[in-house]
Amino acid sequence: MSRALGIDPGSRATGFGVVDLTGNRLVHVACGAIHTPSRASAPERLAIIYRGLLDVIERHRPEEVGVESIFQARNARSALVLGQARGVALLSVELARLPIVEYTPMQVKLAVVGYGRAEKGQVQEMVRRLLALPEAAGPDASDALAVAICHLQTSRTARAVRERGAALVRPPGPR
Amino acid sequence: MSRALGIDPGSRATGFGVVDLTGNRLVHVACGAIHTPSRASAPERLAIIYRGLLDVIERHRPEEVGVESIFQARNARSALVLGQARGVALLSVELARLPIVEYTPMQVKLAVVGYGRAEKGQVQEMVRRLLALPEAAGPDASDALAVAICHLQTSRTARAVRERGAALVRPPGPR
């Protein structure tokens, strides 16, 4: 079994999703969003995100973490604000000594929906189906779950290639 | 006496500068830059910045912190990377429970050089003179010192206005 945490960082809401891969089965463990009050200052918001993510890591003990890599910001100002939240998310994972892998939005969509240009609603619905959730998670939690699923599927494929590769190059004769 | 820490966040180098205001005199306490190795991953860099700033705060015990607010990013990508470093800087100050004030680059230049559109070299030279440094500090340290000076001068002015204001509105008669 491997357990992955996906994070969707944002200044107002940072989504998180924890998913297990047991054999070939994806199992939902937890998901949600860390909301920050709109009247809070930027440093206060960042501390809320930091403490919230440390709490999620402490509570669910993921082994690995996935986060979306490239962001199409509307402008430099919103990229700066998103970057601040993202920096704090990366920091909390690093301080917890967990490996972190970045995925492009296209990789995430490809892994979850099988189509790199899928709409947000399609991703949300596929996440719900893959994890057999009774109803779709909120948008931030759903995006985070999608990153966790992408991470688990990508590392499963990589492991299979590694193992098959190892089997192929194993020298003949008695072990 | 008040002691201010100025921070100039950056992914490769985060400048810091600690300055005391004793009466009307600005006194240099410490300055430098937290450099991150170019081969380090983004999360590793952020952890280096975080630990470095906590160390500066622990060592020099500033009472207040200033940081530059608006950044003219070349593009969304560089704003995102800068934002990550800035988020970690704001977080470390917030976790140390220090008040933080943001200043625009124009406010900083105005406070230090007396001219909001001053060149980088002019700021560096005025910081050197105001703090009676034997030679100019490096660019990142110098920018951070400039923010600390701006913060001390701005809060001194605010305090003077407050005190004079208070004196003016104090009701007549025996205390």
Side-chain angles (χ1 to χ4, degrees):
Chain A
M1 192 203 79
S2 26
R3 174 167 292 187
L5 164 64
I7 305 176
D8 177 33
S11 172
R12 288 186 212 161
T14 289
F16 64 89
V18 183
V19 179
D20 280 351
L21 180 68
T22 314
N24 275 327
R25 251 182 83 228
L26 292 165
V27 181
H28 172 262
V29 177
C31 71
I34 301 157
H35 291 276
T36 60
S38 55
R39 63 188 179 286
S41 69
E44 284 165 352
R45 283 173 181 228
L46 296 170
I48 292 168
I49 295 168
Y50 174 76
R51 293 200 180 98
L53 284 177
L54 286 189
D55 183 59
V56 167
I57 292 170
E58 173 87 16
R59 198 183 296 245
H60 299 293
R61 307 233 166 244
E63 295 152 342
E64 291 176 347
V65 181
V67 67
E68 273 195 18
S69 65
I70 292 163
F71 172 78
Q72 305 297 334
R74 267 165 301 153
N75 53 53
R77 173 82 203 146
S78 61
L80 187 77
V81 172
L82 177 83
Q84 291 183 174
R86 196 170 190 276
V88 164
L90 295 179
L91 177 74
S92 51
V93 173
E94 178 69 19
L95 294 182
R97 296 168 182 274
L98 293 174
I100 186 159
V101 184
E102 305 195 14
Y103 297 96
T104 63
M106 192 172 258
Q107 283 177 301
V108 174
K109 288 172 179 175
L110 207 56
V112 174
V113 186
Y115 171 55
R117 296 186 182 280
E119 300 287 327
K120 226 174 160 63
Q122 290 177 284
V123 175
Q124 215 165 349
E125 175 56 18
M126 271 308 285
V127 165
R128 189 194 70 71
R129 281 202 226 168
L130 286 169
L131 299 178
L133 300 175
E135 56 182 27
D140 303 299
S142 202
D143 281 358
L145 287 170
V147 180
I149 293 169
C150 172
H151 177 75
L152 290 169
Q153 291 189 342
T154 308
S155 47
R156 174 172 56 176
T157 310
R159 204 176 314 123
V161 168
R162 227 171 24 241
E163 281 163 12
R164 178 168 300 192
L168 288 173
V169 299
R170 188 176 293 150
R175 294 201 180 190
Chain B
M1 190 207 77
S2 27
R3 174 167 292 188
L5 164 64
I7 304 176
D8 178 33
S11 172
R12 287 184 214 164
T14 289
F16 63 89
V18 184
V19 178
D20 279 350
L21 180 68
T22 315
N24 276 327
R25 250 183 84 229
L26 293 165
V27 181
H28 172 262
V29 178
C31 71
I34 300 157
H35 291 277
T36 59
S38 54
R39 64 190 178 283
S41 69
E44 284 166 351
R45 283 173 182 229
L46 296 170
I48 291 168
I49 295 168
Y50 174 76
R51 295 202 180 97
L53 285 177
L54 287 189
D55 182 60
V56 167
I57 291 169
E58 173 87 14
R59 198 183 297 243
H60 300 292
R61 308 228 165 249
E63 294 151 342
E64 291 175 346
V65 180
V67 66
E68 272 195 20
S69 66
I70 292 163
F71 171 78
Q72 305 298 332
R74 266 165 301 152
N75 53 53
R77 173 80 204 147
S78 61
L80 186 77
V81 171
L82 178 82
Q84 292 182 174
R86 194 169 191 278
V88 164
L90 295 179
L91 176 74
S92 50
V93 173
E94 178 70 20
L95 294 183
R97 296 167 181 276
L98 294 174
I100 186 158
V101 185
E102 306 195 14
Y103 297 96
T104 64
M106 191 171 257
Q107 283 177 300
V108 174
K109 287 172 180 177
L110 207 57
V112 174
V113 186
Y115 173 55
R117 297 185 181 280
E119 301 285 329
K120 223 172 162 63
Q122 288 177 285
V123 175
Q124 215 166 349
E125 175 56 18
M126 272 309 284
V127 166
R128 189 193 71 71
R129 281 202 228 170
L130 286 169
L131 300 177
L133 301 175
E135 57 182 29
D140 302 299
S142 202
D143 281 357
L145 286 170
V147 181
I149 292 170
C150 172
H151 177 75
L152 289 169
Q153 292 189 342
T154 307
S155 48
R156 174 172 56 177
T157 309
R159 203 176 316 123
V161 168
R162 226 168 28 238
E163 282 162 10
R164 177 167 303 190
L168 287 174
V169 300
R170 188 177 294 151
R175 294 197 180 193

PDB file of all heavy atoms in Angstrom, chain B residues 5 7 13-14 16 46 54 56 60 64 68 70 79 85 88 92 101 111 127 135-136 138 146 148 151 162 167 170-171:
ATOM      1  N   LEU B   5      14.044  44.570  11.529  1.00  0.00           N
ATOM      2  CA  LEU B   5      14.618  43.650  10.543  1.00  0.00           C
ATOM      3  C   LEU B   5      13.973  43.950   9.199  1.00  0.00           C
ATOM      4  O   LEU B   5      12.744  44.026   9.097  1.00  0.00           O
ATOM      5  CB  LEU B   5      14.314  42.203  10.950  1.00  0.00           C
ATOM      6  CG  LEU B   5      14.484  41.107   9.885  1.00  0.00           C
ATOM      7  CD1 LEU B   5      15.945  40.986   9.452  1.00  0.00           C
ATOM      8  CD2 LEU B   5      13.965  39.768  10.411  1.00  0.00           C
ATOM      9  N   ILE B   7      13.683  42.590   5.226  1.00  0.00           N
ATOM     10  CA  ILE B   7      13.900  41.365   4.450  1.00  0.00           C
ATOM     11  C   ILE B   7      13.678  41.653   2.969  1.00  0.00           C
ATOM     12  O   ILE B   7      12.727  42.328   2.589  1.00  0.00           O
ATOM     13  CB  ILE B   7      12.931  40.235   4.882  1.00  0.00           C
ATOM     14  CG1 ILE B   7      13.049  39.961   6.394  1.00  0.00           C
ATOM     15  CG2 ILE B   7      13.219  38.949   4.116  1.00  0.00           C
ATOM     16  CD1 ILE B   7      12.044  38.926   6.899  1.00  0.00           C
ATOM     17  N   ALA B  13      18.719  34.208  -3.331  1.00  0.00           N
ATOM     18  CA  ALA B  13      19.328  34.921  -2.208  1.00  0.00           C
ATOM     19  C   ALA B  13      18.266  35.762  -1.525  1.00  0.00           C
ATOM     20  O   ALA B  13      17.552  36.529  -2.181  1.00  0.00           O
ATOM     21  CB  ALA B  13      20.465  35.810  -2.696  1.00  0.00           C
ATOM     22  N   THR B  14      18.138  35.590  -0.236  1.00  0.00           N
ATOM     23  CA  THR B  14      17.218  36.397   0.566  1.00  0.00           C
ATOM     24  C   THR B  14      18.049  37.312   1.459  1.00  0.00           C
ATOM     25  O   THR B  14      18.784  36.837   2.323  1.00  0.00           O
ATOM     26  CB  THR B  14      16.291  35.483   1.409  1.00  0.00           C
ATOM     27  OG1 THR B  14      15.371  34.845   0.527  1.00  0.00           O
ATOM     28  CG2 THR B  14      15.514  36.281   2.453  1.00  0.00           C
ATOM     29  N   PHE B  16      18.898  40.120   4.328  1.00  0.00           N
ATOM     30  CA  PHE B  16      18.350  40.554   5.615  1.00  0.00           C
ATOM     31  C   PHE B  16      19.230  41.674   6.157  1.00  0.00           C
ATOM     32  O   PHE B  16      20.431  41.736   5.880  1.00  0.00           O
ATOM     33  CB  PHE B  16      18.269  39.390   6.622  1.00  0.00           C
ATOM     34  CG  PHE B  16      19.608  38.807   6.997  1.00  0.00           C
ATOM     35  CD1 PHE B  16      20.333  39.319   8.069  1.00  0.00           C
ATOM     36  CD2 PHE B  16      20.153  37.770   6.269  1.00  0.00           C
ATOM     37  CE1 PHE B  16      21.577  38.791   8.411  1.00  0.00           C
ATOM     38  CE2 PHE B  16      21.388  37.226   6.600  1.00  0.00           C
ATOM     39  CZ  PHE B  16      22.105  37.740   7.679  1.00  0.00           C
ATOM     40  N   LEU B  46      13.401  26.575  -0.039  1.00  0.00           N
ATOM     41  CA  LEU B  46      12.479  27.260   0.866  1.00  0.00           C
ATOM     42  C   LEU B  46      12.799  26.922   2.322  1.00  0.00           C
ATOM     43  O   LEU B  46      12.715  27.790   3.194  1.00  0.00           O
ATOM     44  CB  LEU B  46      11.037  26.885   0.516  1.00  0.00           C
ATOM     45  CG  LEU B  46      10.595  27.336  -0.888  1.00  0.00           C
ATOM     46  CD1 LEU B  46       9.255  26.729  -1.266  1.00  0.00           C
ATOM     47  CD2 LEU B  46      10.545  28.863  -0.970  1.00  0.00           C
ATOM     48  N   LEU B  54      14.675  32.291  10.571  1.00  0.00           N
ATOM     49  CA  LEU B  54      14.422  32.013  11.996  1.00  0.00           C
ATOM     50  C   LEU B  54      15.707  32.213  12.800  1.00  0.00           C
ATOM     51  O   LEU B  54      15.683  32.744  13.912  1.00  0.00           O
ATOM     52  CB  LEU B  54      13.897  30.583  12.186  1.00  0.00           C
ATOM     53  CG  LEU B  54      12.459  30.310  11.758  1.00  0.00           C
ATOM     54  CD1 LEU B  54      12.018  28.931  12.219  1.00  0.00           C
ATOM     55  CD2 LEU B  54      11.485  31.362  12.301  1.00  0.00           C
ATOM     56  N   VAL B  56      18.216  34.280  12.049  1.00  0.00           N
ATOM     57  CA  VAL B  56      18.471  35.729  12.143  1.00  0.00           C
ATOM     58  C   VAL B  56      17.594  36.351  13.236  1.00  0.00           C
ATOM     59  O   VAL B  56      18.054  37.155  14.046  1.00  0.00           O
ATOM     60  CB  VAL B  56      18.200  36.422  10.777  1.00  0.00           C
ATOM     61  CG1 VAL B  56      18.144  37.936  10.925  1.00  0.00           C
ATOM     62  CG2 VAL B  56      19.265  36.026   9.763  1.00  0.00           C
ATOM     63  N   HIS B  60      19.163  38.030  16.578  1.00  0.00           N
ATOM     64  CA  HIS B  60      19.179  39.493  16.720  1.00  0.00           C
ATOM     65  C   HIS B  60      17.920  40.066  17.368  1.00  0.00           C
ATOM     66  O   HIS B  60      17.867  41.265  17.644  1.00  0.00           O
ATOM     67  CB  HIS B  60      19.430  40.151  15.361  1.00  0.00           C
ATOM     68  CG  HIS B  60      20.735  39.735  14.760  1.00  0.00           C
ATOM     69  ND1 HIS B  60      21.943  40.099  15.298  1.00  0.00           N
ATOM     70  CD2 HIS B  60      21.030  38.954  13.692  1.00  0.00           C
ATOM     71  CE1 HIS B  60      22.924  39.576  14.578  1.00  0.00           C
ATOM     72  NE2 HIS B  60      22.398  38.869  13.597  1.00  0.00           N
ATOM     73  N   GLU B  64      10.354  44.519  15.159  1.00  0.00           N
ATOM     74  CA  GLU B  64       9.425  44.706  14.056  1.00  0.00           C
ATOM     75  C   GLU B  64      10.127  44.344  12.762  1.00  0.00           C
ATOM     76  O   GLU B  64      11.354  44.350  12.702  1.00  0.00           O
ATOM     77  CB  GLU B  64       8.961  46.163  14.004  1.00  0.00           C
ATOM     78  CG  GLU B  64       8.068  46.495  15.179  1.00  0.00           C
ATOM     79  CD  GLU B  64       7.684  47.969  15.215  1.00  0.00           C
ATOM     80  OE1 GLU B  64       8.305  48.770  14.495  1.00  0.00           O
ATOM     81  OE2 GLU B  64       6.764  48.294  15.976  1.00  0.00           O
ATOM     82  N   GLU B  68       9.440  44.519   1.392  1.00  0.00           N
ATOM     83  CA  GLU B  68       8.907  45.244   0.238  1.00  0.00           C
ATOM     84  C   GLU B  68       7.623  44.598  -0.242  1.00  0.00           C
ATOM     85  O   GLU B  68       7.503  43.383  -0.276  1.00  0.00           O
ATOM     86  CB  GLU B  68       9.938  45.279  -0.896  1.00  0.00           C
ATOM     87  CG  GLU B  68      10.866  46.469  -0.768  1.00  0.00           C
ATOM     88  CD  GLU B  68      11.658  46.747  -2.030  1.00  0.00           C
ATOM     89  OE1 GLU B  68      11.272  46.308  -3.118  1.00  0.00           O
ATOM     90  OE2 GLU B  68      12.685  47.435  -1.906  1.00  0.00           O
ATOM     91  N   ILE B  70       5.236  45.529  -3.262  1.00  0.00           N
ATOM     92  CA  ILE B  70       4.877  45.241  -4.651  1.00  0.00           C
ATOM     93  C   ILE B  70       6.122  45.010  -5.472  1.00  0.00           C
ATOM     94  O   ILE B  70       7.123  45.705  -5.338  1.00  0.00           O
ATOM     95  CB  ILE B  70       4.011  46.355  -5.263  1.00  0.00           C
ATOM     96  CG1 ILE B  70       2.657  46.357  -4.571  1.00  0.00           C
ATOM     97  CG2 ILE B  70       3.809  46.136  -6.756  1.00  0.00           C
ATOM     98  CD1 ILE B  70       1.887  47.626  -4.782  1.00  0.00           C
ATOM     99  N   ALA B  79       7.230  35.704 -10.962  1.00  0.00           N
ATOM    100  CA  ALA B  79       6.423  36.169  -9.819  1.00  0.00           C
ATOM    101  C   ALA B  79       6.070  34.995  -8.917  1.00  0.00           C
ATOM    102  O   ALA B  79       6.070  35.112  -7.693  1.00  0.00           O
ATOM    103  CB  ALA B  79       5.155  36.858 -10.316  1.00  0.00           C
ATOM    104  N   ALA B  85       9.298  32.283  -2.198  1.00  0.00           N
ATOM    105  CA  ALA B  85      10.300  32.721  -1.218  1.00  0.00           C
ATOM    106  C   ALA B  85       9.689  33.747  -0.262  1.00  0.00           C
ATOM    107  O   ALA B  85       9.914  33.717   0.953  1.00  0.00           O
ATOM    108  CB  ALA B  85      11.501  33.326  -1.940  1.00  0.00           C
ATOM    109  N   VAL B  88       7.390  32.189   2.393  1.00  0.00           N
ATOM    110  CA  VAL B  88       8.155  31.564   3.477  1.00  0.00           C
ATOM    111  C   VAL B  88       8.735  32.636   4.414  1.00  0.00           C
ATOM    112  O   VAL B  88       8.763  32.450   5.632  1.00  0.00           O
ATOM    113  CB  VAL B  88       9.252  30.652   2.878  1.00  0.00           C
ATOM    114  CG1 VAL B  88      10.297  30.291   3.902  1.00  0.00           C
ATOM    115  CG2 VAL B  88       8.600  29.399   2.303  1.00  0.00           C
ATOM    116  N   SER B  92       7.789  32.905   8.383  1.00  0.00           N
ATOM    117  CA  SER B  92       8.755  32.811   9.491  1.00  0.00           C
ATOM    118  C   SER B  92       8.602  33.995  10.444  1.00  0.00           C
ATOM    119  O   SER B  92       8.710  33.831  11.660  1.00  0.00           O
ATOM    120  CB  SER B  92      10.186  32.681   8.972  1.00  0.00           C
ATOM    121  OG  SER B  92      10.461  33.668   8.027  1.00  0.00           O
ATOM    122  N   VAL B 101       5.354  44.977   8.423  1.00  0.00           N
ATOM    123  CA  VAL B 101       4.767  46.050   7.633  1.00  0.00           C
ATOM    124  C   VAL B 101       5.355  45.980   6.229  1.00  0.00           C
ATOM    125  O   VAL B 101       6.552  45.749   6.061  1.00  0.00           O
ATOM    126  CB  VAL B 101       5.048  47.433   8.267  1.00  0.00           C
ATOM    127  CG1 VAL B 101       4.322  48.530   7.491  1.00  0.00           C
ATOM    128  CG2 VAL B 101       4.603  47.459   9.727  1.00  0.00           C
ATOM    129  N   ALA B 111      12.308  57.046   1.518  1.00  0.00           N
ATOM    130  CA  ALA B 111      12.785  57.128   2.904  1.00  0.00           C
ATOM    131  C   ALA B 111      14.309  57.167   2.960  1.00  0.00           C
ATOM    132  O   ALA B 111      14.887  57.852   3.794  1.00  0.00           O
ATOM    133  CB  ALA B 111      12.254  55.948   3.707  1.00  0.00           C
ATOM    134  N   VAL B 127      22.468  53.890   1.957  1.00  0.00           N
ATOM    135  CA  VAL B 127      22.429  52.943   3.075  1.00  0.00           C
ATOM    136  C   VAL B 127      23.805  52.921   3.745  1.00  0.00           C
ATOM    137  O   VAL B 127      23.911  52.975   4.976  1.00  0.00           O
ATOM    138  CB  VAL B 127      22.029  51.522   2.581  1.00  0.00           C
ATOM    139  CG1 VAL B 127      22.313  50.464   3.651  1.00  0.00           C
ATOM    140  CG2 VAL B 127      20.553  51.492   2.202  1.00  0.00           C
ATOM    141  N   GLU B 135      32.216  50.025   3.914  1.00  0.00           N
ATOM    142  CA  GLU B 135      31.953  49.864   2.474  1.00  0.00           C
ATOM    143  C   GLU B 135      30.519  49.385   2.267  1.00  0.00           C
ATOM    144  O   GLU B 135      29.882  48.904   3.206  1.00  0.00           O
ATOM    145  CB  GLU B 135      32.940  48.886   1.835  1.00  0.00           C
ATOM    146  CG  GLU B 135      32.946  47.512   2.480  1.00  0.00           C
ATOM    147  CD  GLU B 135      33.985  46.578   1.849  1.00  0.00           C
ATOM    148  OE1 GLU B 135      35.016  47.091   1.349  1.00  0.00           O
ATOM    149  OE2 GLU B 135      33.740  45.366   1.854  1.00  0.00           O
ATOM    150  N   ALA B 136      30.027  49.564   1.031  1.00  0.00           N
ATOM    151  CA  ALA B 136      28.629  49.212   0.749  1.00  0.00           C
ATOM    152  C   ALA B 136      28.406  47.716   0.971  1.00  0.00           C
ATOM    153  O   ALA B 136      29.265  46.903   0.636  1.00  0.00           O
ATOM    154  CB  ALA B 136      28.271  49.598  -0.678  1.00  0.00           C
ATOM    155  N   GLY B 138      26.484  44.104   0.191  1.00  0.00           N
ATOM    156  CA  GLY B 138      26.083  43.450  -1.061  1.00  0.00           C
ATOM    157  C   GLY B 138      24.678  43.873  -1.448  1.00  0.00           C
ATOM    158  O   GLY B 138      23.935  44.408  -0.617  1.00  0.00           O
ATOM    159  N   ALA B 146      17.823  48.818   3.567  1.00  0.00           N
ATOM    160  CA  ALA B 146      17.006  49.964   3.138  1.00  0.00           C
ATOM    161  C   ALA B 146      15.568  49.828   3.650  1.00  0.00           C
ATOM    162  O   ALA B 146      14.969  50.811   4.097  1.00  0.00           O
ATOM    163  CB  ALA B 146      17.024  50.078   1.615  1.00  0.00           C
ATOM    164  N   ALA B 148      14.631  48.139   6.314  1.00  0.00           N
ATOM    165  CA  ALA B 148      14.673  48.326   7.777  1.00  0.00           C
ATOM    166  C   ALA B 148      14.732  49.818   8.114  1.00  0.00           C
ATOM    167  O   ALA B 148      14.020  50.299   9.006  1.00  0.00           O
ATOM    168  CB  ALA B 148      15.874  47.592   8.367  1.00  0.00           C
ATOM    169  N   HIS B 151      11.394  51.390   7.479  1.00  0.00           N
ATOM    170  CA  HIS B 151      10.452  51.052   8.554  1.00  0.00           C
ATOM    171  C   HIS B 151      10.697  51.909   9.791  1.00  0.00           C
ATOM    172  O   HIS B 151       9.752  52.453  10.378  1.00  0.00           O
ATOM    173  CB  HIS B 151      10.549  49.573   8.915  1.00  0.00           C
ATOM    174  CG  HIS B 151       9.649  49.213  10.061  1.00  0.00           C
ATOM    175  ND1 HIS B 151       8.286  49.090   9.907  1.00  0.00           N
ATOM    176  CD2 HIS B 151       9.898  49.027  11.378  1.00  0.00           C
ATOM    177  CE1 HIS B 151       7.746  48.825  11.073  1.00  0.00           C
ATOM    178  NE2 HIS B 151       8.703  48.778  11.997  1.00  0.00           N
ATOM    179  N   ARG B 162       1.645  60.953  16.303  1.00  0.00           N
ATOM    180  CA  ARG B 162       0.730  60.461  17.324  1.00  0.00           C
ATOM    181  C   ARG B 162       0.922  61.243  18.623  1.00  0.00           C
ATOM    182  O   ARG B 162      -0.029  61.684  19.247  1.00  0.00           O
ATOM    183  CB  ARG B 162       1.003  58.974  17.580  1.00  0.00           C
ATOM    184  CG  ARG B 162      -0.244  58.156  17.639  1.00  0.00           C
ATOM    185  CD  ARG B 162      -0.006  56.656  17.605  1.00  0.00           C
ATOM    186  NE  ARG B 162       1.243  56.201  18.139  1.00  0.00           N
ATOM    187  CZ  ARG B 162       2.143  55.498  17.455  1.00  0.00           C
ATOM    188  NH1 ARG B 162       1.920  55.217  16.191  1.00  0.00           N
ATOM    189  NH2 ARG B 162       3.259  55.087  18.014  1.00  0.00           N
ATOM    190  N   ALA B 167      -0.800  65.378  22.318  1.00  0.00           N
ATOM    191  CA  ALA B 167      -0.551  66.590  23.104  1.00  0.00           C
ATOM    192  C   ALA B 167      -1.587  67.652  22.758  1.00  0.00           C
ATOM    193  O   ALA B 167      -2.107  68.354  23.618  1.00  0.00           O
ATOM    194  CB  ALA B 167       0.855  67.110  22.818  1.00  0.00           C
ATOM    195  N   ARG B 170      -4.971  66.806  24.279  1.00  0.00           N
ATOM    196  CA  ARG B 170      -5.049  66.587  25.722  1.00  0.00           C
ATOM    197  C   ARG B 170      -5.889  67.702  26.353  1.00  0.00           C
ATOM    198  O   ARG B 170      -5.647  68.883  26.093  1.00  0.00           O
ATOM    199  CB  ARG B 170      -3.639  66.582  26.320  1.00  0.00           C
ATOM    200  CG  ARG B 170      -3.630  66.173  27.799  1.00  0.00           C
ATOM    201  CD  ARG B 170      -2.204  66.103  28.326  1.00  0.00           C
ATOM    202  NE  ARG B 170      -1.469  65.015  27.667  1.00  0.00           N
ATOM    203  CZ  ARG B 170      -0.146  65.049  27.488  1.00  0.00           C
ATOM    204  NH1 ARG B 170       0.556  66.098  27.856  1.00  0.00           N
ATOM    205  NH2 ARG B 170       0.455  64.046  26.908  1.00  0.00           N
ATOM    206  N   PRO B 171      -6.886  67.371  27.146  1.00  0.00           N
ATOM    207  CA  PRO B 171      -7.753  68.400  27.700  1.00  0.00           C
ATOM    208  C   PRO B 171      -6.980  69.308  28.664  1.00  0.00           C
ATOM    209  O   PRO B 171      -6.056  68.851  29.347  1.00  0.00           O
ATOM    210  CB  PRO B 171      -8.836  67.614  28.426  1.00  0.00           C
ATOM    211  CG  PRO B 171      -8.238  66.280  28.703  1.00  0.00           C
ATOM    212  CD  PRO B 171      -7.268  66.026  27.604  1.00  0.00           C
TER     213      PRO B 171
END
